[in-house]
Each structure stands twice: as C-alpha cells, then as structure tokens.
C-alpha cells in the first residue's frame, strides 16, 4: 500500500520533470542549463535555501488553513482573501502601534500577528455565517470575498493606511523593531519560517488528538452521522472555517512582518490560491503539508532564479508553477484511476 | 445455461471463494444464500464480470465468459445492484437510456434508447412515468427502474443482489411476481439473499455458501427453513426473550407531538406515546410514514414543532440521561465511512467524560475502551485503525450498535436496526436490544419487519401517515404472532 504511494509520488516527480523539459523546450531554452538554474535557485547555496524556506512559509500556513477547512467539509477557496485581510488587520495594528508609545518588539509583533489572525478568522466567518444562516455555498462566497478583500486592500492603501508621503498606493514601511527576527541580516530567513512547522504540529494535535478536531473530521466525513449522534454540524463547520481563516490570516501577517514590511496592492502573490494545491498534495494532512509546502516553495524559488537569467522572466515562472500543479493533478488522477484494492466481503 | 466452474477467489491471504461450482438453469429462480461474508457478493461480482477469479471460469451456453462488466452485459448477463446505480437528477427515461448507450446515439435520442425498457415495463404491468425524476421516486419504484435497465437489452441472466433489503412487504410481493414472470420468459434469475422465508417463498433452487465454500445445493422442495439455517450458520440456540424488567415506571411520555419533515411538511401529526422502563415499544408501518422523523424527535436530533416530550415527568431536554440512537441507514446516518473503526466508535465516545481530558483525548483510555468494545461486540477487524468502509455490513452494524450499547442507555431509539444483516448478525443485534431492555432501558424500536416487531416488542403501535394506530401483529400478517 505504502509502496504504491511512493511509486506514484515518483511517477509524479518524473511527470513534473517531463512537463518541465517540454516547457523549457517550448520557450526555446537550453534544457540542462535551465534545470540547473532552477535547482540552484532552490537548493544551490544558503541564499537559495533561505528563499525556498521563506516561500514555503506562507504556503504552509495557508495550506494548513485549507487542511482544517477541507477536512471539515468546508471547501474554502478564499485563502487569498483571508490572507489579504490578515495582512490588512496587521497593517491597522501596526499603524496604531507606530502612532502610540513604543512597546517591546516581541509584544508589538505579537499584537500585529494576533490582529492578522483575527482578521483572517473574521473574513472566513462571513462565509461561514452566510452558509449556516442562508445556505450560501462556501465555495462561492469564499471566492467572491477574495475579490472584495483585494478591493478593500486597494482602498485602504490609497486611503486610511497610505504612507505619510501620500505618493504610492502603499503603507509606510514597518520599522525594524516590528519586523520578525532574522538570524542573518543577509538572508531572508525569518522567525516565521520556524513558526510555521510549529503551527503544523499544533494543527496535527488539533485534528487528531482533540475532541474538536475529531468533530471537524467527523462532520467533514459525514455530517449526517454527526447530526445523528447529536453533534451539531453547523457549529463545527463554523469553527473549522474560522480556524482556517485564522491560519490564512496568520500567513498574511507573517508575510507582512517577515518579508514584505509594507502593504501594497500586490501584497499577496497568489499565496492563498496556491495553498489549495499545497494542501491537496499534502494529502490534507498537516505533516504532509509541511513537505508539499517545501516542494512548492522550492519550485517558486527555483523558477524565480531561472526568471532572473532569461528574458521570458516571470511568464515562465508561472508556467512552471502551473506545470507543478498539473503534475499534481495527474498524481491524483493516477490515485483515483488505479484499481481500488478489492475489498473482500469478510473483514 | 450459466455455469460457474471451480471458482476460487483470493484477496491477499483471505480466500473469499474456495472452488465453488454452480449450474444456473434458464427458467429457474436460483437463490444463493449465505451470511454476510460468506462470499455471495464476490461470487456475483465474478458472474457479472466485475471481478476476475483467481482460478476457474464461467460458461454461458458453453462458451467462456469474459471478466469485463460491459462485455458480460453484451452477452446478456445483467445485475440489479443492491445500492442502485441510478442518477437521481435524471428522469426515468434518461436513466433507462443510460443502460443503452449504444442506442443513445450522438443526438441523445433518449426516447429511442429508453423504449425497449419502457416496453418491458408495460409487459410487466408497471405504470412508470418516463419523465419523473428518479430522486422523487419511492425506493420500490427506483428498484423497478434498476430492473428495467437490465431488461432493455437481450438479457439471458439477471442477478439480483439482495433486492428485498430495501423494500416494504407489499413491494416484496410485487418483486416476487416479477421474478416469476421473468422465469416464464426463460430467463435465468439469480437471487442473492439471506432471508430464509423469502428464499422458501420464491426460489426454485437454492445454493448455500458458508465462508467461501459451497455447503449444499438443492431443489427448494427438498429443504425447509431450519435446514437452510443450519447450512448457513451451523447450529444456533433459539432467541430467548427474557421476562420483563420488574419495575414498570413510565419513562418516556410524549403528548401531541407534531414534527416537520425535511421539506417543511408536517410529517408527524399529533402522536401520543409512552414507554416504560424496561419495555420495548415496537413501532411498525410501511416506510415513509414518519418513522425516521419520529425516531429522530425522540432521540432529540430533530426539533419538534409542538407537543411535549417528558422523561419521568420532566422535560426530556432538561434531563441528563443517556440516549442511544441506532439510525436506519448505517452508511448514511450511522457511520463516517472514510474514518476508522476507532473513530466511528468515538462518535459516542466524545460524550464520555473518562475518555477526555478537557479538549483532549486520553489516548491510553481511548485505546483500552475501543479494544473493549471491539471485543465485547465481536467486531471482526484487523485493527481499530481499519477504515469502516472495508468492513462487511454485519461488522459495520456492530460498530453502530457497539458504540450505542456498550453501556446501558436510559433511552434507546432504534430504526430498522437489522436491515440488510444476516441471520447471525440479526440475532446479535436482537440480543443486545433485549439486554438493554432487561437492564431497564426504555426502548423505541421502529421496524418495518413484522417478524422483528413480533419477536422483540412488548407493545406495538403502527405509524400511518404521521399518526399512531393501535394494532396487533396478527391482523397485519394474517396469522398469530
């Protein structure tokens, strides 16, 4: 059983490689040199490794959000919106902090991150309330709220949150004291990279060691069975989606205080969307998601490096990322197609 | 003539079928009888081409059959599945057309493709609206559509997989009439069953499987029910119904209950009932008269529109009593099929204080508790981490029953708790319900199986269009209980 899984993962990796080679050929690039650039960009030196790590971080946090929601049968497609609102709430808290008396940095950053968590949770709760009270499909409301969040951010950075100079549509930069700790100033590697796996472990504990997590998985697996045993599905569904939003919000907050340092209209580069394939490739399991986030982080870092050396630049980057998603879809199809292990009547 | 020759099927180490040979004669109803896990379904799936045997072959009129479902169908071997393969959002005609994709053509000529099946329907005296949506049909009518799909081609052999499991008594009679009609058309009818009375009533010939082996094959005139039962399960003691629990205080009292169904219609229209401690109140009637809704109301799952529900003269909601609920359909309401046995047991375990430490599970205590329930209820699994969908129906029901009855509930509500179970598993569930009663539980047993009501209940009421009516078993089955 497990060997079969491994084999399929191998097939996926080979498939990804083939798609990659085809893509590079189509762009008229030297295949071997390009692959080398991708590899070096992801793993080549400590700079590359650091980039892979910081790119994996928002993917992991938001991916965990997807895991919790999807396990609970709430198909949250709104990671992007929750990520953005998380950043936005963090930005509001930061603005207040910068106006007020200075706090110890740890406390200040904590306030920002808590703000992000609350922002993401609130944004997801909107969809949860719409679903529970009005039966609006979660898929639809979360998708639409993504666009609302994007507009909200644009408005905020051109309005109340705009930089003091009022020149660009973005916020002021965070002072160094409100940025996440970096062990090496040369590298992007920040404390959030260490936080994310801890959150993953916490989510594993939540889902598999607590009663709430059990209820989330039960409601996701069969909400009617939950109801018949007097577990109110709606309460649990609300909780699952709120936690999911909180994690996506946290991803936004960590990206804001760890990497971006300011909020602009291009604050999220699709992290919340990419979180979905990350979670799916991770088997909707918190630990699996750590690995798939690393994988996607490496693809991002590697393709960015390639982009730096070719004229095709960012276009190629998206093509390669899309190729990775396709390989993943193929993997899942492979999983579904291969004959089910026949279940004998007797157990 | 369909002949299975020395069929053996292994799944890993497990031998599901061991050298089984059976001849099926046209114009006969041949019942294949056996407990859950006896290998019936495996055998039928091989006949219909869904599974390839490890060794052995299947011959139809002397030529070897392929083990490919589409090609089997092309040769005239059809199967009526227990769990219907219908598209609920399609009309009857569209579902029938699906069975004849070859006739459907590029322009989706549904009328043309469904015509042979509809002609067959008229031949059987069935009045089906081809434009009705399948999801609006009763279970019995859905089964007719399923049967008609098999008759749309040139079927020689039709396999019925436990067709009566989902039917009400009058629907069963109609099904049997149709089975006989099919044999008159010289078709081979194979009936998978585990209800002895039904086999005796309709079959011409019977083959019994036990643990993957063919025990015996005989003409129905040569056997009786107790012989078949012995072949199926070996010797079994008779069900002993212990004397009633001594104290007879009124436990549950419902007055003028009114309840809404899923479509906001008033499905329970004023029900009064009382159940004493240590008493089984049997509630019978044809499915769809509000049984599930009333059961859910008594188990505090469905809110009531009006009326009172008291436990020992206080509001049921306000009492912290333990209520166990065994829902009618284990796969729909009872189990989370993708979760493990352990997790499915924990569905009731989450209300157990001793299994929890605040928000966390006490993993050691949970492990011991799960092991104890598995042992006590004889759930046959490799490990508690086995996913429930891999279990046989009987074992699945044991998970539901086990988690509800491992400790005596104050109130037990059960709806058709033995539906689809074999003799042994049925007996097991009955024993457990009687045990709960003996220990003083108040039991509301909803069942459309009159034999079950007669065997278990102390008093009986019948639910008809949302109202309870008094009734004896006698007048309903036309005999003494």
């Amino acid at each position: 059983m497990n060997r079969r899984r491994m084999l399929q993962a191998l097939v996926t990796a080979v498939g990804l490689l083939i798609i990659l080679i085809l893509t590079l050929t189509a762009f008229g690039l030297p295949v071997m040199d390009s692959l080398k650039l991708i590899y070096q960009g992801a793993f080549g030196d400590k700079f590359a490794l650091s980039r892979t790590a910081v790119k994996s971080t928002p993917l992991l946090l938001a991916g965990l959000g997807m895991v919790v929601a999807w396990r609970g049968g709430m198909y949250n497609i709104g990671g992007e919106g929750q990520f953005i609102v998380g950043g936005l709430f963090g930005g509001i808290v930061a603005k207040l902090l910068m106006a007020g008396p200075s706090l110890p940095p740890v406390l200040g950053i904590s306030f920002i991150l808590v703000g992000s968590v609350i922002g993401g949770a609130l944004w997801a709760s909107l969809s949860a309330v719409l679903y529970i009270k009005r039966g609006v499909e979660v898929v639809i409301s979360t998708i639409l709220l993504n666009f609302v969040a994007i507009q909200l951010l644009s408005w905020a950075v051109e309005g109340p949150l705009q930089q003091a100079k009022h020149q660009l549509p973005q916020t002021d930069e965070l002072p160094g004291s409100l940025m996440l700790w970096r062990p090496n100033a040369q590298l992007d590697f920040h404390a959030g990279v260490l936080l994310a796996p801890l959150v993953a472990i916490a989510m594993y504990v939540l889902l598999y060691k607590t009663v709430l997590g059990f209820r989330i998985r039960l409601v996701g697996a069969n909400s009617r069975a939950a109801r018949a045993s007097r577990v109110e599905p709606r309460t649990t569904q609300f909780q699952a989606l709120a936690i999911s939003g909180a994690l996506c919000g946290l991803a936004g907050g960590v990206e804001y205080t760890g990497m971006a340092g300011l909020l602009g209209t291009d604050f999220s580069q699709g992290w919340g969307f990419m979180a979905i394939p990350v979670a799916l490739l991770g088997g909707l399991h918190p630990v699996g998601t750590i690995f798939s986030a690393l994988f996607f982080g490496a693809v991002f870092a590697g393709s960015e490096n390639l982009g730096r050396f070719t004229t095709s630049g960012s276009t190629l980057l998206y093509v390669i990322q899309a190729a990775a998603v396709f390989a993943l879809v193929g993997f899942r199809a492979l999983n579904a197609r291969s004959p089910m292990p026949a279940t004998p009547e007797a157990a | 003539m369909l002949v299975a020759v020395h069929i053996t099927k292994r799944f890993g180490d497990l031998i599901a079928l061991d050298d089984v040979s059976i001849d099926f004669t046209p114009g006969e109803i041949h019942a294949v009888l056996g407990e859950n896990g006896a290998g019936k379904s495996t055998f039928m799936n091989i006949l219909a081409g869904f599974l390839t045997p490890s060794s052995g072959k299947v011959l139809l009129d002397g030529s070897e059959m392929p083990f490919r479902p589409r090609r089997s169908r092309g040769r005239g071997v059809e199967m009526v599945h227990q769990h219907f393969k219908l598209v609920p959002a399609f009309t009857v005609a569209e579902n029938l057309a699906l069975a004849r994709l070859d006739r459907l053509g590029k322009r989706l000529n549904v009328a043309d493709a469904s015509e042979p099946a509809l002609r067959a329907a008229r031949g059987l005296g069935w009045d089906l609206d081809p434009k009705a949506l399948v999801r609006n049909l009763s279970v019995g009518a859905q089964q007719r559509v399923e049967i008609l799909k098999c008759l749309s081609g040139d079927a020689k052999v039709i396999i019925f997989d436990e067709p009566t499991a989902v039917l009400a008594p009058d629907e069963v009679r109609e099904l049997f009439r149709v089975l006989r009609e099919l044999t008159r058309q010289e078709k081979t009818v194979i009936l998978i069953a585990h209800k002895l009375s039904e086999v005796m009533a309709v079959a011409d010939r019977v083959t019994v499987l036990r643990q993957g082996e063919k025990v015996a094959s005989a003409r129905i005139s040569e056997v009786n029910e107790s012989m078949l039962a012995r072949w199926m399960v070996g010797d079994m003691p008779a069900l002993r119904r212990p004397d009633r629990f001594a104290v007879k205080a009124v436990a549950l009292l419902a007055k003028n209950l009114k309840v809404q169904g899923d479509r906001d219609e008033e499905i329970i229209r004023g029900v009064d009932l009382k159940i004493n401690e240590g008493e089984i109140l049997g509630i019978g009637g044809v499915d769809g008269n509000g049984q599930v809704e009333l059961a859910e109301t008594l188990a505090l799952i469905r809110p009531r529109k009006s009326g009172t529900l008291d436990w020992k003269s206080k509001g049921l909601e306000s009492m912290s009593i333990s209520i166990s609920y065994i829902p009618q359909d284990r796969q729909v309401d009872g189990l989370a099929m993708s979760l493990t046995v352990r997790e499915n047991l924990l569905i009731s375990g989450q209300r157990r204080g001793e299994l929890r430490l605040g928000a966390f599970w006490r993993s050691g205590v949970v492990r011991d508790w799960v092991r104890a329930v598995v042992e006590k209820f004889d759930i046959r699994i490799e490990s508690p981490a086995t996913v429930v969908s891999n279990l046989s129906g009987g074992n699945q029901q044991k998970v539901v029953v086990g988690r509800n009855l491992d400790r005596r509930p104050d109130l037990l509500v059960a709806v058709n708790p033995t539906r689809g179970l074999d003799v042994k598993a049925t007996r097991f569930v009955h024993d457990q319900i009687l045990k709960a009663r003996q220990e003083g539980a108040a039991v509301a047993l909803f069942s459309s199986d009159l034999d079950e009501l007669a065997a278990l209940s102390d008093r009986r009421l019948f639910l008809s269009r949302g109202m309870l009516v008094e009734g004896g078993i006698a007048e309903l089955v036309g005999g003494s209980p």
Side-chain angles (χ1 to χ4, degrees), chain A residues 110-344:
Chain A
S110 303
F111 279 140
I112 295 178
L113 292 183
V114 169
S116 299
V117 166
I118 292 173
L122 282 178
W123 205 246
S125 302
L126 288 180
S127 297
V129 169
L130 283 172
Y131 173 68
I132 289 164
K133 297 285 178 203
R134 285 278 174 266
V136 179
E137 285 293 336
V138 169
V139 170
I140 292 171
S141 66
T142 51
I143 289 180
L144 293 178
L145 282 172
N146 285 335
F147 301 116
V148 179
I150 291 168
Q151 296 306 319
L152 199 62
L153 177 68
S154 310
W155 169 78
V157 298
E158 285 171 22
L161 291 186
Q162 197 179 17
Q163 56 184 182
K165 294 183 294 186
H166 291 287
Q167 282 174 340
L168 298 169
Q170 60 187 39
T171 63
D172 279 320
E173 258 184 76
L174 285 175
S177 66
L178 288 180
M179 291 290 283
L180 284 169
W181 173 68
R182 291 189 182 195
N184 180 340
Q186 283 186 308
L187 300 179
D188 290 337
F189 190 97
H190 56 74
V193 175
L194 304 172
L195 175 69
L198 294 180
V199 175
I201 292 165
M203 287 307 117
Y204 170 76
V205 171
L206 171 78
L207 283 175
Y208 293 96
K209 303 289 175 192
T210 71
V211 179
L212 173 61
F214 171 73
R215 286 186 177 166
I216 288 174
R217 291 186 298 119
L218 170 64
V219 166
N222 185 352
S223 64
R224 290 190 54 153
R227 174 177 164 275
S229 52
R230 278 170 288 141
V231 172
E232 178 50 63
R234 284 176 295 191
T235 313
T236 311
Q237 285 164 334
F238 181 90
Q239 288 163 330
L241 201 49
I243 294 170
S244 172
L247 290 166
C248 292
L250 178 63
V254 166
E255 185 67 6
Y256 173 48
T257 54
M259 287 296 295
L262 56 77
L263 298 173
T265 44
D266 60 348
F267 169 61
S268 176
Q269 286 146 4
W271 299 114
F273 290 123
M274 288 309 289
I276 296 167
V278 167
L280 289 174
L281 181 65
L284 290 180
H285 191 284
V287 177
T289 304
I290 296 179
F291 294 103
S292 73
L294 281 173
F295 169 76
F296 276 94
V299 171
F300 276 37
S303 52
E304 237 177 48
N305 192 45
L306 178 64
R308 267 197 285 280
F309 289 92
T310 59
T311 46
S312 321
S314 60
T315 321
L316 183 61
L317 189 148
Y318 291 123
V319 173
I320 288 172
Q321 286 161 12
V325 176
F326 272 121
L328 153 75
V329 172
F331 170 76
R332 295 188 62 81
L334 203 67
N335 236 335
R337 273 255 302 274
S338 62
M340 294 281 290
T343 44

Side-chain angles (χ1 to χ4, degrees), chain A residues 71 205-215 217-232 340-347, chain B residues 11 14 37 39-42 296 299-302 323 325 331-336 338-339 343 346-347 350-351 356 359-361 380 390-392 395:
Chain A
R71 279 275 166 187
V205 171
L206 171 78
L207 283 175
Y208 293 96
K209 303 289 175 192
T210 71
V211 179
L212 173 61
F214 171 73
R215 286 186 177 166
R217 291 186 298 119
L218 170 64
V219 166
N222 185 352
S223 64
R224 290 190 54 153
R227 174 177 164 275
S229 52
R230 278 170 288 141
V231 172
E232 178 50 63
M340 294 281 290
T343 44
E345 257 192 291
Chain B
F11 295 104
L14 187 122
K40 304 184 301 274
S41 294
T42 306
E296 288 184 348
L300 295 184
I301 292 161
R302 183 180 289 266
I323 302 175
Y325 178 54
Q331 301 201 353
V332 173
D333 289 314
L335 298 166
S338 60
L339 299 185
E343 289 164 335
L346 281 179
I347 289 176
Q350 53 183 328
R351 259 180 286 280
R356 301 170 50 166
F360 293 87
W361 295 113
R380 308 260 172 92
N390 289 335
L391 268 55
S392 67
N395 270 319

Side-chain angles (χ1 to χ4, degrees), chain B residues 54-129:
Chain B
S54 308
S55 66
K57 55 190 173 181
V58 176
L59 304 173
L60 180 62
D61 298 331
S63 70
E64 205 164 320
M65 289 290 289
F67 296 106
R68 292 262 177 274
R70 290 249 316 254
R71 287 172 58 197
S72 282
R73 288 192 56 213
R75 300 274 293 274
V77 177
E78 300 272 3
M79 184 150 170
V80 175
H81 295 272
Q82 181 181 3
H83 300 283
F84 305 145
K85 312 284 180 197
L86 298 173
V87 185
F90 279 15
T91 63
V92 168
E94 283 166 339
N95 270 285
L96 294 173
L98 277 179
R100 292 306 307 271
L101 284 173
D102 54 322
R103 285 183 65 131
L104 202 50
K106 286 219 167 55
R107 287 188 298 124
L108 288 178
N109 194 340
V110 170
D112 195 28
S114 59
E115 177 49 32
L118 290 170
R119 200 179 324 123
R122 289 191 291 275
L124 292 170
W126 284 347
D127 185 24
L128 267 179
D129 176 8

